[in-house]
Amino acid sequence: MRTFLGDVLRGLTATGVLLAAVVHLDLYEAGFGSIATIGPLFMLNFVGGVIIGTSVLIWRHWIPVFLAAGFGALTVAAYWVSVVHGLFGVKEVTDGWSEILAEVAEYAAVVFGLAATVLLRQRPIRRRAA
């Protein structure tokens, strides 16, 4: 059961990370790529998200899911800094579909990534011989 639950959590974590990465690539191509500093950061988010999301799927260990949770947390934190104060000259909005989709995906990466980390960090239960 633990393996099944771990696989489900890893799948949901990877989905959140990969979806957030694809949204950032879409925004990069929609015009953010031409903004100094923000453009390269969006492309870095995409590349990093693909690497982390793929590693979550192929490596059954707590490290990639922990990195995925960190990826989601840092990305959503940067988004909210941009909304509230502005970031590198860009003040973000909260009502676009891309923004909402990315934010939900990033929260999913954090929640499921942390749950998977806890599950994968637990030692297997050893049964006593009768």
Side-chain angles (χ1 to χ4, degrees), residues 61-111:
H61 196 271
W62 66 269
I63 292 174
V65 290
F66 183 72
L67 290 174
F71 170 88
L74 289 173
T75 304
V76 82
Y79 169 72
W80 280 105
V81 166
S82 178
V83 167
V84 174
H85 301 289
L87 186 64
F88 301 112
V90 175
K91 189 145 170 74
E92 191 57 75
V93 297
T94 59
D95 59 351
W97 280 107
S98 296
E99 291 81 0
I100 294 168
L101 184 59
E103 190 174 4
V104 168
E106 291 152 4
Y107 284 130
V110 172
V111 170

Coordinates of all heavy atoms in Angstrom, one line a residue, residues 61-111:
H61 N 12.8 8.2 -4.8 CA 13.6 8.7 -3.7 C 13.0 10.0 -3.1 O 12.3 10.6 -3.8 CB 15.1 8.9 -4.1 CG 16.0 8.9 -2.9 ND1 16.3 10.1 -2.3 CD2 16.7 8.0 -2.3 CE1 17.2 9.8 -1.3 NE2 17.5 8.5 -1.3
W62 N 13.3 10.3 -1.9 CA 12.7 11.5 -1.3 C 13.4 12.8 -1.8 O 12.7 13.8 -1.8 CB 12.8 11.5 0.2 CG 14.2 11.5 0.8 CD1 15.0 10.5 1.0 CD2 15.0 12.7 1.1 NE1 16.2 10.9 1.5 CE2 16.2 12.3 1.5 CE3 14.7 14.1 1.0 CZ2 17.2 13.2 1.9 CZ3 15.7 15.0 1.4 CH2 16.9 14.5 1.9
I63 N 14.6 12.7 -2.4 CA 15.3 14.0 -2.8 C 14.5 14.7 -3.9 O 14.3 15.9 -3.8 CB 16.7 13.7 -3.2 CG1 17.5 13.3 -1.9 CG2 17.4 14.9 -3.9 CD1 18.9 12.9 -2.2
P64 N 14.1 14.0 -5.0 CA 13.4 14.8 -6.1 C 12.1 15.3 -5.7 O 11.7 16.4 -6.1 CB 13.3 13.8 -7.2 CG 13.6 12.4 -6.7 CD 14.4 12.6 -5.4
V65 N 11.3 14.6 -4.8 CA 10.0 15.2 -4.4 C 10.2 16.3 -3.5 O 9.4 17.3 -3.5 CB 9.1 14.1 -3.8 CG1 8.6 13.1 -4.9 CG2 9.7 13.3 -2.6
F66 N 11.3 16.3 -2.7 CA 11.6 17.4 -1.8 C 12.0 18.6 -2.7 O 11.6 19.8 -2.4 CB 12.7 17.1 -0.8 CG 13.1 18.1 0.1 CD1 12.2 18.5 1.2 CD2 14.2 18.8 0.0 CE1 12.5 19.5 2.1 CE2 14.6 19.8 0.9 CZ 13.7 20.2 2.0
L67 N 12.8 18.4 -3.7 CA 13.2 19.5 -4.6 C 11.9 20.0 -5.3 O 11.8 21.2 -5.6 CB 14.2 19.0 -5.7 CG 15.6 18.7 -5.1 CD1 16.4 18.1 -6.2 CD2 16.2 20.0 -4.6
A68 N 11.0 19.2 -5.7 CA 9.8 19.6 -6.3 C 9.0 20.5 -5.4 O 8.4 21.5 -5.9 CB 9.0 18.4 -6.8
A69 N 8.9 20.1 -4.1 CA 8.2 21.0 -3.2 C 8.8 22.3 -3.1 O 8.2 23.4 -3.0 CB 8.1 20.3 -1.8
G70 N 10.2 22.4 -3.0 CA 10.9 23.6 -3.0 C 10.7 24.4 -4.2 O 10.6 25.7 -4.2
F71 N 10.7 23.8 -5.4 CA 10.5 24.4 -6.7 C 9.1 25.1 -6.6 O 9.0 26.3 -7.0 CB 10.5 23.4 -7.8 CG 10.0 23.9 -9.1 CD1 10.9 24.5 -10.0 CD2 8.7 23.8 -9.5 CE1 10.5 25.0 -11.2 CE2 8.3 24.3 -10.8 CZ 9.2 24.9 -11.6
G72 N 8.1 24.4 -6.2 CA 6.7 25.0 -6.1 C 6.7 26.2 -5.2 O 6.1 27.2 -5.5
A73 N 7.3 26.0 -4.0 CA 7.3 27.0 -3.0 C 8.0 28.3 -3.4 O 7.5 29.4 -3.3 CB 7.9 26.5 -1.7
L74 N 9.2 28.1 -4.0 CA 9.9 29.3 -4.5 C 9.2 30.0 -5.6 O 9.2 31.2 -5.7 CB 11.3 28.9 -4.9 CG 12.2 28.5 -3.7 CD1 13.6 28.0 -4.2 CD2 12.5 29.7 -2.8
T75 N 8.6 29.2 -6.5 CA 8.0 29.8 -7.7 C 6.7 30.6 -7.2 O 6.5 31.7 -7.7 CB 7.6 28.7 -8.7 OG1 8.8 28.0 -9.1 CG2 7.0 29.4 -9.9
V76 N 5.9 30.0 -6.4 CA 4.7 30.8 -5.9 C 5.1 32.0 -5.0 O 4.5 33.0 -5.1 CB 3.7 29.8 -5.2 CG1 4.1 29.5 -3.8 CG2 2.3 30.3 -5.3
A77 N 6.2 31.9 -4.3 CA 6.7 33.0 -3.5 C 7.1 34.2 -4.4 O 6.8 35.3 -4.2 CB 7.8 32.6 -2.6
A78 N 7.9 33.8 -5.5 CA 8.3 34.9 -6.4 C 7.1 35.5 -7.1 O 7.0 36.7 -7.3 CB 9.2 34.3 -7.5
Y79 N 6.1 34.7 -7.4 CA 4.8 35.2 -8.0 C 4.2 36.2 -7.1 O 3.8 37.3 -7.5 CB 3.9 34.1 -8.3 CG 2.5 34.5 -8.7 CD1 2.2 35.1 -9.9 CD2 1.4 34.3 -7.8 CE1 1.0 35.6 -10.3 CE2 0.2 34.8 -8.2 CZ -0.1 35.4 -9.4 OH -1.3 35.8 -9.7
W80 N 4.0 35.9 -5.8 CA 3.4 36.8 -4.9 C 4.2 38.0 -4.6 O 3.6 39.1 -4.4 CB 2.9 36.1 -3.6 CG 1.7 35.3 -3.9 CD1 1.5 34.0 -4.1 CD2 0.4 35.9 -4.1 NE1 0.2 33.7 -4.3 CE2 -0.5 34.9 -4.4 CE3 -0.1 37.2 -4.1 CZ2 -1.9 35.1 -4.6 CZ3 -1.5 37.4 -4.3 CH2 -2.3 36.4 -4.6
V81 N 5.5 37.9 -4.6 CA 6.3 39.1 -4.5 C 6.1 40.0 -5.7 O 5.9 41.3 -5.5 CB 7.8 38.8 -4.4 CG1 8.7 40.0 -4.6 CG2 8.1 38.1 -3.0
S82 N 6.0 39.4 -6.8 CA 5.7 40.2 -8.0 C 4.3 40.9 -8.0 O 4.1 42.0 -8.5 CB 5.8 39.3 -9.3 OG 5.5 40.0 -10.4
V83 N 3.3 40.2 -7.4 CA 2.0 40.7 -7.3 C 2.0 41.9 -6.3 O 1.4 43.0 -6.6 CB 1.0 39.7 -6.9 CG1 -0.4 40.3 -6.5 CG2 0.8 38.6 -8.0
V84 N 2.6 41.7 -5.2 CA 2.5 42.7 -4.1 C 3.4 43.9 -4.3 O 3.0 45.0 -4.2 CB 2.7 42.0 -2.7 CG1 2.8 43.1 -1.6 CG2 1.7 41.0 -2.5
H85 N 4.7 43.6 -4.7 CA 5.7 44.7 -4.7 C 6.2 44.9 -6.1 O 6.8 46.0 -6.4 CB 6.9 44.3 -3.8 CG 6.5 44.2 -2.4 ND1 6.1 45.2 -1.6 CD2 6.4 43.1 -1.6 CE1 5.8 44.8 -0.4 NE2 6.0 43.5 -0.4
G86 N 6.1 43.9 -7.0 CA 6.8 44.0 -8.3 C 8.1 43.3 -8.2 O 8.7 43.2 -7.1
L87 N 8.6 42.7 -9.3 CA 9.8 41.9 -9.3 C 10.6 42.2 -10.6 O 10.0 42.0 -11.7 CB 9.5 40.4 -9.2 CG 10.7 39.5 -9.0 CD1 11.4 39.7 -7.7 CD2 10.2 38.0 -9.0
F88 N 11.7 42.8 -10.4 CA 12.6 43.2 -11.6 C 11.8 44.0 -12.6 O 11.9 43.9 -13.8 CB 13.1 41.9 -12.3 CG 14.0 41.1 -11.4 CD1 13.6 39.8 -11.0 CD2 15.2 41.6 -11.0 CE1 14.4 39.0 -10.2 CE2 16.0 40.8 -10.1 CZ 15.6 39.5 -9.8
G89 N 11.0 44.9 -12.1 CA 10.2 45.9 -12.9 C 8.9 45.4 -13.4 O 8.2 46.0 -14.2
V90 N 8.5 44.2 -13.0 CA 7.2 43.6 -13.5 C 6.3 43.4 -12.3 O 6.7 42.9 -11.2 CB 7.5 42.2 -14.1 CG1 6.1 41.6 -14.5 CG2 8.3 42.3 -15.3
K91 N 5.1 44.0 -12.4 CA 4.1 43.8 -11.4 C 3.0 42.9 -12.0 O 2.3 43.3 -12.9 CB 3.5 45.2 -11.0 CG 2.6 45.1 -9.7 CD 2.8 46.4 -8.9 CE 1.7 46.5 -7.8 NZ 1.9 45.6 -6.7
E92 N 2.9 41.8 -11.4 CA 2.0 40.7 -11.9 C 0.6 40.9 -11.5 O 0.3 41.7 -10.6 CB 2.5 39.4 -11.4 CG 1.9 38.2 -12.0 CD 2.1 38.1 -13.5 OE1 3.1 37.8 -14.0 OE2 1.1 38.4 -14.2
V93 N -0.3 40.3 -12.2 CA -1.8 40.3 -11.9 C -2.2 39.0 -11.4 O -1.5 38.0 -11.5 CB -2.6 40.7 -13.1 CG1 -2.3 42.1 -13.6 CG2 -2.4 39.7 -14.2
T94 N -3.4 38.9 -10.8 CA -3.8 37.7 -10.2 C -5.0 37.1 -10.9 O -5.5 36.0 -10.5 CB -4.2 37.9 -8.7 OG1 -5.3 38.8 -8.6 CG2 -3.1 38.3 -7.9
D95 N -5.5 37.7 -12.0 CA -6.8 37.2 -12.5 C -6.7 36.6 -13.9 O -7.7 36.2 -14.5 CB -7.8 38.4 -12.6 CG -7.2 39.5 -13.5 OD1 -6.0 39.5 -13.9 OD2 -8.0 40.5 -13.8
G96 N -5.5 36.3 -14.4 CA -5.3 35.6 -15.7 C -5.4 34.1 -15.5 O -5.0 33.5 -14.4
W97 N -5.8 33.4 -16.5 CA -5.9 31.9 -16.4 C -4.6 31.3 -16.3 O -4.4 30.3 -15.5 CB -6.6 31.4 -17.7 CG -8.1 31.5 -17.6 CD1 -8.9 32.4 -18.2 CD2 -9.0 30.8 -16.7 NE1 -10.2 32.2 -17.8 CE2 -10.3 31.2 -16.9 CE3 -8.8 29.8 -15.7 CZ2 -11.4 30.8 -16.2 CZ3 -9.9 29.3 -15.1 CH2 -11.1 29.8 -15.3
S98 N -3.6 31.8 -16.9 CA -2.2 31.3 -16.8 C -1.7 31.4 -15.4 O -1.1 30.5 -14.8 CB -1.2 32.0 -17.7 OG -1.6 31.8 -19.1
E99 N -2.0 32.5 -14.8 CA -1.5 32.8 -13.4 C -2.2 31.8 -12.4 O -1.6 31.3 -11.5 CB -1.8 34.2 -13.0 CG -0.9 35.2 -13.7 CD -1.4 35.6 -15.1 OE1 -2.4 35.1 -15.6 OE2 -0.7 36.4 -15.8
I100 N -3.5 31.7 -12.6 CA -4.3 30.8 -11.7 C -3.9 29.3 -11.9 O -3.6 28.6 -10.9 CB -5.8 30.9 -12.0 CG1 -6.3 32.3 -11.6 CG2 -6.6 29.9 -11.3 CD1 -7.7 32.7 -12.1
L101 N -3.7 28.9 -13.1 CA -3.3 27.5 -13.4 C -1.9 27.2 -12.8 O -1.7 26.2 -12.2 CB -3.3 27.3 -14.9 CG -3.0 25.9 -15.4 CD1 -3.9 24.8 -14.8 CD2 -3.0 25.8 -16.9
A102 N -1.0 28.2 -13.0 CA 0.4 28.0 -12.5 C 0.4 27.9 -11.0 O 1.0 27.1 -10.4 CB 1.3 29.1 -13.0
E103 N -0.4 28.8 -10.4 CA -0.5 28.9 -8.9 C -1.0 27.6 -8.3 O -0.5 27.0 -7.4 CB -1.3 30.1 -8.5 CG -1.2 30.3 -7.0 CD -1.9 31.6 -6.6 OE1 -2.5 32.3 -7.4 OE2 -1.8 31.9 -5.4
V104 N -2.1 27.1 -8.9 CA -2.7 25.8 -8.4 C -1.7 24.7 -8.6 O -1.5 23.8 -7.7 CB -4.0 25.5 -9.2 CG1 -4.5 24.1 -8.9 CG2 -5.1 26.5 -8.8
A105 N -1.0 24.6 -9.7 CA 0.0 23.6 -10.0 C 1.2 23.7 -9.0 O 1.7 22.7 -8.5 CB 0.5 23.7 -11.4
E106 N 1.6 24.9 -8.7 CA 2.7 25.1 -7.7 C 2.3 24.7 -6.3 O 3.1 24.1 -5.6 CB 3.2 26.5 -7.8 CG 3.9 26.8 -9.1 CD 3.8 28.3 -9.5 OE1 3.3 29.1 -8.8 OE2 4.3 28.6 -10.6
Y107 N 1.1 25.1 -5.9 CA 0.6 24.6 -4.6 C 0.5 23.1 -4.5 O 0.8 22.5 -3.5 CB -0.8 25.2 -4.3 CG -0.7 26.7 -3.8 CD1 -1.5 27.6 -4.4 CD2 0.2 27.1 -2.9 CE1 -1.5 29.0 -4.0 CE2 0.2 28.4 -2.5 CZ -0.6 29.4 -3.1 OH -0.5 30.7 -2.7
A108 N 0.0 22.5 -5.6 CA 0.0 21.0 -5.7 C 1.4 20.4 -5.5 O 1.6 19.4 -4.8 CB -0.7 20.6 -7.0
A109 N 2.4 21.0 -6.2 CA 3.7 20.5 -6.1 C 4.2 20.6 -4.7 O 4.9 19.6 -4.2 CB 4.6 21.3 -7.0
V110 N 3.9 21.6 -4.0 CA 4.3 21.8 -2.6 C 3.6 20.7 -1.7 O 4.3 20.0 -1.0 CB 4.0 23.2 -2.1 CG1 4.3 23.3 -0.6 CG2 4.9 24.2 -2.8
V111 N 2.3 20.7 -1.8 CA 1.5 19.8 -0.9 C 1.9 18.3 -1.1 O 2.2 17.6 -0.2 CB 0.0 20.0 -1.0 CG1 -0.8 19.0 -0.3 CG2 -0.3 21.4 -0.5

